[in-house]
Amino acid sequence: MQSYHSISTIFVQKNIPAATEQTGRGKYVPSIEEAVRVCVELRRSGMLQPITVRIESGTYELARTLEFWNSISGVTFESKTGKAEDVILSGGQKIEGFTEAVFNGKKCVVAYLPLVKEGKMDFSDLYVNGERAGLSRFPESGYLQFAEAENKGFFLDDISKWVRLKKEDISALSADDIRGATLSYLHYWVDEHTAVESYDEETGVLVMDKYSRFSINGEKTQSAYYFENVRKTFGKPGEWYLDKAEGLLYYVLREGERMEDLDVHAPRLSAIANLTGAQGAPITNVSFKNVTFAYTKGEHESRNDQGLRVASDGQGVSDAKGTVNFRYAEKCSVEGCRFINYGLHGVNVEQGCSHISLQKNFFYDGGAGGVIMGGSDVNGEVADRTHSNEIVGCEIRHCGRRHMAACGILVKHSFNNKIVGNTISDLFYTGISVGWVWGYKESVTRNNLIAYNHIYDLGKRVLSDMGGVYLLGAQPGTVVLGNRIHDIYGREYGGWALYTDEGSACIVLEKNVCYRCSDNCIHQHYGRMNVVRNNIFAFAEKALCCVTWGELHLSTVFENNILITNGELAYGLLAREHIENGTVATGNNLLWSVDGNEPYVVEYLGKKYTLSEAQKLGLETGSIVADPKCRAIERDDFTLAEDSPAYALGFQEIEMK
């Protein structure tokens, strides 16, 4: 018989024959929880060699979140088959026993959930056959505008507790329909969601359960709203409704679905795993490899600086946690894993973390974003800083499905990180966001590499003020290199491929290919000493490049870029400040308009300037107008011919991936 102390492999298998509980191959346990317990005991007993926990195929519904402390180290949890789809660590409960029914006049299926009726179970997300089921919506498409809000101020923090609805907009709904629904509204760069505290049918005044995070102020900020979970409008394929009083779950089958084949999961846990060390004693060398994390809750409570409950975070769903959470952790990893049908972020790397590796993971159908990361700022303890982590080769797709303001990757206060080779698409907000200091204040964020990512299909004209890559605050040493970013569309404003926001400084953005944006391919709000070189910018609904605030220092250098327009301006600048003070330097660029006309460089004092005219203003020194000779612009192939005139200007070849 093998000694307990010499075990280096633990097998997780639901049904274990008694004779195989412990063999020469390793120890067999019936659950993930038991495997964690055995790992802790092995470490306490003094065993130092690495431990591998190999998990048999199946779905493992967890009764509670897996908690890993610094008493466990040097352990890898992996699928026995090496395929992530074969092992599902579930934070939910499978729902069975559906029968045919009619509800709200619609054919559907129903399941009786006694725990719901008894008040012992509740959920606000539902996943059916690997997809998020929808809530009924009013209006069925589009948005409505509030007639009035409590606070009539114009400042961002003029928040409101009540709004007035236009009666003609909601005449199809009863007062009870409204009282039982969730109010969701979009403005600025956030989406806000709140239950209805009360509704006065006579006045149209709706009191929200939570304050608005930002100003609403009627139509002046274009706050667009809709209702969700409206009983009266239930009945479209893929929708669900939970009658809590009766404990009945109703669901309308999608095309091709059969009642007897339904795979339905309701979330019960907010997280699958928490890996928590301590300051000065981190948890180390714990890895997950080739497993799936799924079915977690999407509820998120937010408060503003005054401690009031508000209906969203200030930006990027930045206070929400993850399905897997690291805190005071070092040299841990998540590799080849899937995060699907989850409630908030996939992975959350918090304070005191370093050398966390996230490689080749797949994030799909997240309620918020893919990865969020951040530690202490310049005023926090050095031991709480987060740095030297990597997010490499991951795919983040179809996220922000409950909290639309989420980013694919959000890095707040953190440095020396690599974000390389990821694919990010189908979100309503920013792809990669790095930096968390507004203005020119000191920041720990620096030396981050954002390279060779493919970022596309963002915004969808739902939210405003976003970027394919969004940068904030001074970040010396940060480089944005070789990314392909396209199809970024804001709602009111701010669909940008590259976005250097407030106080961005000392950042190099080079060899990126950016095209088709609702505003600009690159936009700098205000900043200093940023270098934009050797990029290809093509086709924006406004100017290709834009710098807004005029400040008395060198703001941005644009050099050796290829600017391809279809009649739009090359630069949208605050002309007097930037041109007269020389705070934006442009030169050795190639300009071309596919409409056959000579491109306009800038508009100054009400006049549009061609290249030769702009050069007299001190812009575009050494720049030319010429066909860059791209292989097939109409197919988004910007590969240059060997004899492209751009090379004579010093342009360096961009590898098109």
Side-chain angles (χ1 to χ4, degrees):
M1 177 68 69
Q2 181 187 27
S3 71
Y4 187 75
H5 293 78
S6 65
I7 295 170
S8 60
T9 305
I10 300 170
F11 296 93
V12 179
Q13 184 174 321
K14 290 182 178 180
N15 301 308
I16 305 172
T20 62
E21 182 177 349
Q22 185 166 316
T23 70
R25 298 176 57 206
K27 182 175 178 61
Y28 284 75
V29 297
S31 68
I32 309 293
E33 295 91 333
E34 179 64 10
V36 173
R37 189 195 67 78
V38 171
C39 289
V40 171
E41 289 301 317
L42 288 170
R43 291 299 181 233
R44 285 176 178 169
S45 72
M47 196 193 83
L48 299 178
Q49 66 258 42
I51 302 170
T52 301
V53 177
R54 308 195 70 194
I55 308 170
E56 191 76 29
S57 298
T59 298
Y60 295 81
E61 290 186 355
L62 303 175
R64 60 189 61 85
T65 300
L66 298 171
E67 300 288 351
F68 298 83
W69 310 100
N70 53 11
S71 55
I72 184 174
S73 64
V75 181
T76 298
F77 294 82
E78 65 181 23
S79 165
K80 184 178 178 181
T81 66
K83 298 179 180 179
E85 60 270 26
D86 288 348
V87 172
I88 300 175
L89 305 186
S90 169
Q93 175 179 320
K94 186 169 184 177
I95 297 176
E96 300 177 299
F98 284 94
T99 59
E100 293 181 349
V102 174
F103 180 67
N104 196 36
K106 304 291 185 179
K107 289 184 178 181
C108 58
V109 296
V110 63
Y112 175 56
L113 305 176
L115 291 179
V116 171
K117 187 173 183 178
E118 296 167 10
K120 299 177 181 178
M121 180 182 181
D122 192 12
F123 50 91
S124 53
D125 299 287
L126 189 73
Y127 302 102
V128 181
N129 295 339
E131 299 290 340
R132 184 182 300 266
L135 292 169
S136 54
R137 189 187 194 276
F138 181 87
E140 292 187 14
S141 61
Y143 306 96
L144 303 172
Q145 297 291 326
F146 297 123
E148 183 185 10
E150 174 190 16
N151 195 327
K152 297 175 176 58
F154 292 94
F155 294 104
L156 189 65
D157 58 357
D158 290 332
I159 65 176
S160 294
K161 189 66 160 56
W162 62 260
V163 291
R164 189 186 307 277
L165 311 182
K166 300 175 184 178
K167 293 184 181 180
E168 62 270 23
D169 286 345
I170 44 88
S171 59
L173 301 180
S174 70
D176 286 340
D177 288 331
I178 293 173
R179 293 185 187 108
T182 297
L183 174 66
S184 298
Y185 52 100
L186 318 170
H187 56 168
Y188 306 106
W189 47 87
V190 297
D191 56 313
E192 308 212 36
H193 308 273
T194 177
V196 176
E197 185 175 295
S198 66
Y199 175 66
D200 188 309
E201 194 170 9
E202 181 63 28
T203 64
V205 170
L206 183 154
V207 179
M208 300 180 288
D209 178 59
K210 300 175 182 177
Y211 282 87
S212 66
R213 165 66 74 166
F214 295 135
S215 168
I216 297 175
N217 197 29
E219 297 184 6
K220 295 185 183 298
T221 59
Q222 294 294 304
S223 297
Y225 83 88
Y226 57 100
F227 288 108
E228 291 181 292
N229 196 37
V230 182
R231 178 169 178 158
K232 187 172 185 177
T233 60
F234 169 82
K236 289 177 282 300
E239 287 185 346
W240 67 285
Y241 185 86
L242 183 63
D243 185 333
K244 297 179 183 179
E246 299 299 324
L248 296 173
L249 171 63
Y250 296 96
Y251 174 73
V252 182
L253 297 173
R254 301 182 182 102
E255 183 177 355
E257 288 181 335
R258 301 194 313 161
M259 180 179 68
E260 53 270 31
D261 297 329
L262 290 179
D263 183 28
V264 181
H265 298 265
R268 292 186 300 112
L269 303 179
S270 296
I272 300 295
N274 294 327
L275 294 90
T276 310
Q279 192 181 85
I283 185 171
T284 62
N285 294 296
V286 176
S287 300
F288 293 98
K289 189 174 182 180
N290 300 329
V291 299
T292 295
F293 302 88
Y295 313 133
T296 52
K297 297 170 71 71
E299 289 85 351
H300 175 51
E301 179 77 13
S302 190
R303 293 183 182 271
N304 65 7
D305 292 340
Q306 290 73 46
L308 298 173
R309 295 173 62 245
V310 289
S312 79
D313 288 342
Q315 186 169 317
V317 201
S318 57
D319 293 331
K321 301 296 184 181
T323 301
V324 174
N325 299 282
F326 293 95
R327 184 180 178 90
Y328 296 114
E330 290 183 1
K331 299 178 183 177
C332 296
S333 66
V334 181
E335 180 180 349
C337 292
R338 299 193 311 159
F339 293 80
I340 61 170
N341 304 150
Y342 57 94
L344 294 170
H345 300 293
V347 178
N348 172 32
V349 181
E350 295 187 85
Q351 67 192 56
C353 289
S354 66
H355 301 95
I356 306 298
S357 178
L358 309 177
Q359 291 199 42
K360 298 181 180 179
N361 301 298
F362 176 61
F363 300 83
Y364 176 81
D365 191 22
V371 180
I372 184 170
M373 180 188 299
S376 64
D377 61 14
V378 293
N379 298 312
E381 296 187 49
V382 172
D384 288 350
R385 293 184 181 175
T386 290
H387 62 90
S388 307
N389 305 297
E390 62 179 12
I391 307 168
V392 177
C394 296
E395 181 176 359
I396 301 170
R397 175 163 58 89
H398 193 71
C399 291
R401 261 40 207 182
R402 177 163 177 172
H403 306 278
M404 290 185 281
C407 304
I409 296 171
L410 171 58
V411 177
K412 296 186 286 184
H413 303 289
S414 189
F415 56 94
N416 289 352
N417 301 294
K418 295 181 180 179
I419 306 172
V420 178
N422 304 286
T423 300
I424 301 173
S425 66
D426 193 8
L427 284 83
F428 300 100
Y429 191 53
T430 287
I432 298 173
S433 178
V434 178
W436 209 245
V437 170
W438 282 256
Y440 296 121
K441 295 175 291 186
E442 187 179 358
S443 172
V444 301
T445 305
R446 63 184 185 274
N447 296 332
N448 292 302
L449 176 64
I450 306 164
Y452 306 113
N453 302 286
H454 187 192
I455 304 167
Y456 64 99
D457 188 18
L458 304 183
K460 303 175 183 288
R461 302 190 192 273
V462 171
L463 296 176
S464 301
D465 206 284
M466 74 197 66
V469 174
Y470 172 95
L471 302 156
L472 185 61
Q475 309 188 34
T478 289
V479 175
V480 181
L481 169 69
N483 301 282
R484 178 182 285 264
I485 307 172
H486 58 94
D487 296 291
I488 317 295
Y489 296 100
R491 185 165 72 94
E492 295 173 23
Y493 73 97
W496 299 304
L498 299 173
Y499 181 12
T500 45
D501 200 8
E502 300 185 30
S504 293
C506 304
I507 300 168
V508 175
L509 306 98
E510 63 181 338
K511 292 190 175 181
N512 302 286
V513 179
C514 305
Y515 52 98
R516 285 197 300 270
C517 300
S518 63
D519 289 73
N520 318 113
C521 290
I522 180 168
H523 172 259
Q524 178 158 304
H525 185 177
Y526 67 87
R528 64 187 178 200
M529 297 299 294
N530 296 311
V531 176
V532 181
R533 68 187 177 208
N534 215 99
N535 303 281
I536 297 176
F537 298 135
F539 311 132
E541 294 179 9
K542 299 179 182 177
L544 288 181
C545 311
C546 184
V547 181
T548 52
W549 282 22
E551 299 175 288
L552 293 179
H553 57 238
L554 181 59
S555 171
T556 313
V557 175
F558 290 91
E559 61 182 4
N560 294 118
N561 301 292
I562 296 175
L563 308 179
I564 304 172
T565 80
N566 191 16
E568 64 269 29
L569 291 170
Y571 299 96
L573 308 174
L574 291 179
R576 280 188 181 276
E577 290 85 348
H578 294 300
I579 294 175
E580 295 180 5
N581 295 326
T583 61
V584 173
T586 67
N588 285 359
N589 299 299
L590 183 151
L591 295 84
W592 179 250
S593 183
V594 297
D595 65 5
N597 297 315
E598 183 174 2
Y600 287 108
V601 175
V602 69
E603 185 172 344
Y604 176 54
L605 299 179
K607 176 188 174 182
K608 292 183 178 179
Y609 282 69
T610 62
L611 177 60
S612 60
E613 294 169 331
Q615 287 174 333
K616 295 177 182 178
L617 297 175
L619 296 172
E620 293 301 322
T621 302
S623 297
I624 64 171
V625 174
D627 184 346
K629 298 186 178 181
C630 298
R631 179 181 293 163
I633 290 178
E634 71 281 1
R635 297 197 301 272
D636 301 336
D637 186 348
F638 295 90
T639 304
L640 301 183
E642 291 183 1
D643 62 345
S644 171
Y647 291 129
L649 296 175
F651 189 87
Q652 297 180 11
E653 183 178 4
I654 298 176
E655 183 178 354
M656 302 292 174
K657 294 185 178 181

